[in-house]
């Protein structure tokens, strides 16, 4: 699969992360890469900090995360672009306005991530070939309820995926902040798509929610975690466990995300 | 995850202030002597003059230093979560007239979430937690739907921008992850409040909060956030020891 080739190329595996960490001091130097980044919407103070903290040793890790994110954004962008261009699929009014908004953001995220990757001297991954029917198992572009269900799965996955990568960006403030700024947009999308489906905007326990295909359960596994930072939250608040699990969104690892997203990616021929 | 920002020498568990007035005075005096700049924003400096005969200040009159390093950032988050929790507790205790069933459920959920965030942060901070703050919500008409929901929208959007801006201030990757777990819930709230309150169907991720070019949400500095929140907070919040990067 192309996505695995990308990860091998850019190295987001944890053992390689450790190697970068140990070599960090030896390779530490200021670079002028940051000044080329097109952070149009990033506050000046954050932008300046990103220049100061730019350091060659961790850049391959950062590029790996950015290409991983780009792959997910390619998936989302193509999904929504196909959806809004399929006549008769999305009802007018609220639904149509919501998905036009989401589609624009995902297309913008693709372009933004490509700009950032190139500004760091990286090579953006090629857009994979997607099959949103998963070999015919789904029909999201002829069945609007399925379109909504997969949209929910993609958005809730996106939130968990970005969250899981934040720690890998901790050395590169500008990129970390930008990733967080995408992350919260994905969460806004997730909330609204869930609400369009008649669900709450937040995730209770590890419930995928009414009408979601069983195949999407991996998107929600682990969301019932009650231990945060070593604190069993049930012991420090009167709020019940449903409310606690809703209060904290959980991350997914790279491999967990790839297992989910990989369902929709057509393996490359090579 | 145990990765940390090696480039920061500060030990994140070490803080300069723990609410001790003498410590604060020592710091405040040095800064005043050096720059003279803090006075304008710290009209209650005299409150910190050591005076053994003076009765302890009421909690709402106490200036509250957040501390520095990761502790300071967590106390900053704890400040906002205390504010949000106080707001939704008041909303649920006294729902606005004509509140729908769906809206009541959302208000109760948001109360639960913000109370859980508040209580978790207090427990995580332990002895380093700031005091229970005193809030002034008198500008909110709790009987008026538009007043309540517009305030909720302000708080949720502000919370999103605050956590987005604070992520880069944290040294600990573990704390960064926890902040990430909370911020996406705040963003889910913001979208839901906008969805029920604003007539514009695109408001859940509207162009007033998500930029039109790159599709990025807002990220605010603590100074920006605390300025926006200050009308609601009675205590003077001292944030000048927070990290800046």
């Amino acid at each position: 699969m192309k996505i695995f080739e990308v990860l091998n190329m850019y190295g987001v595996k944890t053992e390689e992360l450790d190697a970068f960490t140990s070599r960090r001091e030896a390779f530490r130097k200021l670079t002028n890469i940051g000044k080329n980044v097109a952070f149009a919407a990033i506050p000046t103070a954050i932008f300046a900090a990103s220049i100061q903290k730019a350091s060659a040793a961790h850049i391959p890790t950062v590029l790996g995360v950015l290409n991983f994110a780009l792959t997910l954004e390619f998936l989302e962008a193509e999904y929504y672009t196909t959806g809004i261009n399929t006549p008769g699929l999305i009802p007018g009014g609220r639904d149509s306005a919501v998905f036009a908004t989401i589609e624009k953001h995902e297309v913008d995220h693709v372009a933004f991530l490509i700009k950032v990757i190139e500004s760091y001297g990286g090579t953006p991954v090629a857009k994979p070939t997607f099959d949103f029917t998963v070999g015919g198992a789904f029909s999201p572009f002829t069945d609007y309820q399925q379109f909504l269900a997969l949209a929910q799965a993609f958005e809730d996955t996106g939130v968990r995926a970005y969250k899981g990568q934040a720690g890998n960006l901790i050395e590169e403030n500008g990129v970390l902040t930008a990733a967080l700024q995408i992350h919260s947009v994905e969460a806004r999308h997730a909330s609204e798509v869930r609400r369009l489906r008649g669900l709450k905007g937040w995730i209770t326990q590890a419930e995928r929610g009414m009408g979601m295909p069983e195949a999407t359960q991996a998107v929600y596994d682990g969301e019932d975690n009650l231990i945060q930072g070593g604190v069993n939250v049930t012991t420090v608040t009167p709020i019940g466990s449903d409310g606690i699990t809703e209060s904290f969104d959980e991350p997914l690892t790279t491999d967990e995300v790839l297992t989910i997203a990989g369902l929709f990616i057509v393996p490359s021929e090579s | 995850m145990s990765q940390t920002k090696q480039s920061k020498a500060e030990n994140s568990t070490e803080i300069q202030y723990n609410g001790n007035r003498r410590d604060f005075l020592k710091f405040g005096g040095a800064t005043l002597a050096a720059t003279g700049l803090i006075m304008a924003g710290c009209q209650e400096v005299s409150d910190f003059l050591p005076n053994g005969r003076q009765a302890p200040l009421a909690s709402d009159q106490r200036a509250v230093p957040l501390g520095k390093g990761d502790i300071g950032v967590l106390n900053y988050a704890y400040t906002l979560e205390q504010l949000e929790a106080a707001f939704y507790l008041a909303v649920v205790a006294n729902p606005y007239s004509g509140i729908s069933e769906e809206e009541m459920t959302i208000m109760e959920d948001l109360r639960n979430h913000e109370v859980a965030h508040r209580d978790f942060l207090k427990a995580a901070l332990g002895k380093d937690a700031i005091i229970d703050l005193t809030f002034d919500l008198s500008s909110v008409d709790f009987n008026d739907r538009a007043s309540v929901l517009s305030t909720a929208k302000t708080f949720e959007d502000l919370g999103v921008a605050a956590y987005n801006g604070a992520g880069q201030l944290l040294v600990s990757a573990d704390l960064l992850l926890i902040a990430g777990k909370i911020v996406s819930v705040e963003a889910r709230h913001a979208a839901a409040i906008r969805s029920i309150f604003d007539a514009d169907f695109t408001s859940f991720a509207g162009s007033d909060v998500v930029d039109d070019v790159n599709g990025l949400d807002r990220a605010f500095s603590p100074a920006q956030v605390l300025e926006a929140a200050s009308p609601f907070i009675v205590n003077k919040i001292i944030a000048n020891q927070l990290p800046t990067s």
Side-chain angles (χ1 to χ4, degrees), chain A residues 28-50:
Chain A
R28 181 177 299 284
K29 59 178 183 179
L30 290 178
T31 75
N32 61 0
I33 285 169
K35 74 182 180 191
N36 297 322
V37 180
F39 286 133
I42 296 181
T44 308
I46 295 171
F47 179 58
S50 79

Side-chain angles (χ1 to χ4, degrees), chain A:
Chain A
M1 279 187 185
K2 283 182 182 173
I3 198 164
F4 290 109
E5 294 164 14
V6 168
L7 290 170
N8 289 335
M9 191 183 313
Y10 291 100
V12 293
K13 299 292 187 202
T14 49
E15 56 268 32
E16 292 181 30
L17 251 181
D18 292 338
F20 286 130
T21 303
S22 64
R23 287 182 290 156
R24 184 181 307 130
E25 288 308 315
F27 286 93
R28 181 177 299 284
K29 59 178 183 179
L30 290 178
T31 75
N32 61 0
I33 285 169
K35 74 182 180 191
N36 297 322
V37 180
F39 286 133
I42 296 181
T44 308
I46 295 171
F47 179 58
S50 79
I51 296 172
Q52 286 176 357
K53 295 188 70 67
S55 161
H58 64 265
I59 295 306
T61 302
V62 170
L63 285 170
V65 173
L66 289 168
N67 265 315
F68 172 68
L70 176 58
T71 303
L72 295 178
E73 298 289 354
F74 271 137
L75 182 153
E76 290 184 310
E78 181 163 313
Y79 184 70
Y80 296 116
T81 301
T82 305
I84 67 173
N85 287 313
T86 301
L89 177 67
I90 303 175
R94 179 183 172 197
D95 295 58
S96 150
V98 166
F99 282 112
T101 301
I102 294 177
E103 192 262 355
K104 180 190 186 314
H105 292 159
E106 309 302 8
V107 169
D108 288 349
H109 292 165
V110 167
F112 175 74
L113 290 170
I114 288 174
K115 275 190 296 187
V116 176
I117 290 166
E118 288 178 340
S119 75
Y120 277 90
T123 304
V125 61
K127 183 164 75 73
T129 301
F130 297 107
D131 172 18
F132 295 108
T133 75
V134 190
F138 297 113
S139 46
F141 302 121
T142 54
D143 179 337
Y144 183 58
Q145 291 309 312
Q146 289 198 25
F147 180 81
L148 282 171
L150 287 188
Q152 178 185 320
F154 291 150
E155 297 300 334
D156 280 333
T157 299
V159 174
R160 301 189 70 176
Y162 275 94
K163 202 185 319 293
Q165 298 302 322
N168 290 330
L169 300 175
I170 199 165
E171 293 284 337
E172 195 63 17
N173 281 346
V175 177
L176 170 61
T177 302
L180 289 171
Q181 290 175 284
I182 295 177
H183 170 246
S184 62
V185 172
E186 302 294 337
R188 287 176 186 269
H189 294 172
S191 176
E192 185 67 359
V193 172
R194 295 173 64 87
R195 287 172 40 74
L196 276 181
R197 295 190 64 254
L199 300 178
K200 292 181 174 183
W202 25 95
I203 300 165
T204 308
Q205 301 291 347
E207 296 168 7
R208 61 182 183 271
M210 180 187 57
M212 290 295 285
E214 194 174 348
T216 63
Q217 184 55 40
V219 176
Y220 300 95
D221 287 344
E223 284 283 2
D224 53 354
N225 177 34
L226 293 167
I227 313 293
Q228 302 297 345
V231 176
N232 183 337
V233 184
T234 61
T235 65
V236 299
T237 186
I239 305 303
S241 74
D242 282 1
I244 292 169
T245 59
E246 290 167 359
S247 303
F248 296 88
D249 281 338
E250 297 298 321
L252 287 174
T253 66
T254 304
D255 286 346
E256 288 166 340
V257 173
L258 293 178
T259 301
I260 294 165
L263 286 175
F264 302 94
I265 296 175
V266 179
S268 58
E269 296 300 320
S270 57

Side-chain angles (χ1 to χ4, degrees), chain A residues 17 21 24-25 28 38-43 46 49 52-53 93-94 97-98 101-102 104-105 108-109 112 115 156 159 163-164 166-168 170-171 173 176-178 180-185 187-192 194-195 200-203 225 227-229 231 233 236-239 243-244 246-251, chain B residues 1 3-8 102 105-106 109-117 119-120 123-124 156-157 160 163-173 176-178 180-185 187-192 194-196 201-206 209-220 224 244-245:
Chain A
L17 251 181
T21 303
R24 184 181 307 130
E25 288 308 315
R28 181 177 299 284
F39 286 133
I42 296 181
I46 295 171
Q52 286 176 357
K53 295 188 70 67
R94 179 183 172 197
V98 166
T101 301
I102 294 177
K104 180 190 186 314
H105 292 159
D108 288 349
H109 292 165
F112 175 74
K115 275 190 296 187
D156 280 333
V159 174
K163 202 185 319 293
N168 290 330
I170 199 165
E171 293 284 337
N173 281 346
L176 170 61
T177 302
L180 289 171
Q181 290 175 284
I182 295 177
H183 170 246
S184 62
V185 172
R188 287 176 186 269
H189 294 172
S191 176
E192 185 67 359
R194 295 173 64 87
R195 287 172 40 74
K200 292 181 174 183
W202 25 95
I203 300 165
N225 177 34
I227 313 293
Q228 302 297 345
V231 176
V233 184
V236 299
T237 186
I239 305 303
I244 292 169
E246 290 167 359
S247 303
F248 296 88
D249 281 338
E250 297 298 321
Chain B
M1 208 165 9
Q3 184 191 1
T4 60
K5 243 182 231 185
Q6 302 289 327
S7 56
K8 292 193 177 177
E102 180 196 20
T105 300
I106 289 175
D109 281 357
L110 268 51
R111 173 204 57 188
N112 290 347
H113 303 168
E114 306 303 2
V115 167
H117 291 163
D119 293 350
F120 163 73
E156 297 297 344
D157 285 332
V160 172
Y163 279 100
N164 280 350
Q168 61 145 352
L169 306 180
L170 289 165
V171 172
S172 159
L176 174 61
L177 176 60
I178 288 171
K181 292 179 180 201
I182 294 175
V183 66
S184 54
V185 174
R188 291 173 186 273
H189 293 172
R194 288 168 160 267
S195 183
I196 60 172
F201 292 133
T202 71
S203 177
F204 69 97
V209 283
V210 180
D211 90 83
D212 253 350
V213 177
N214 297 323
L216 304 184
D217 215 320
R218 301 184 303 178
F220 286 172
Q224 288 174 290
T244 55
S245 67

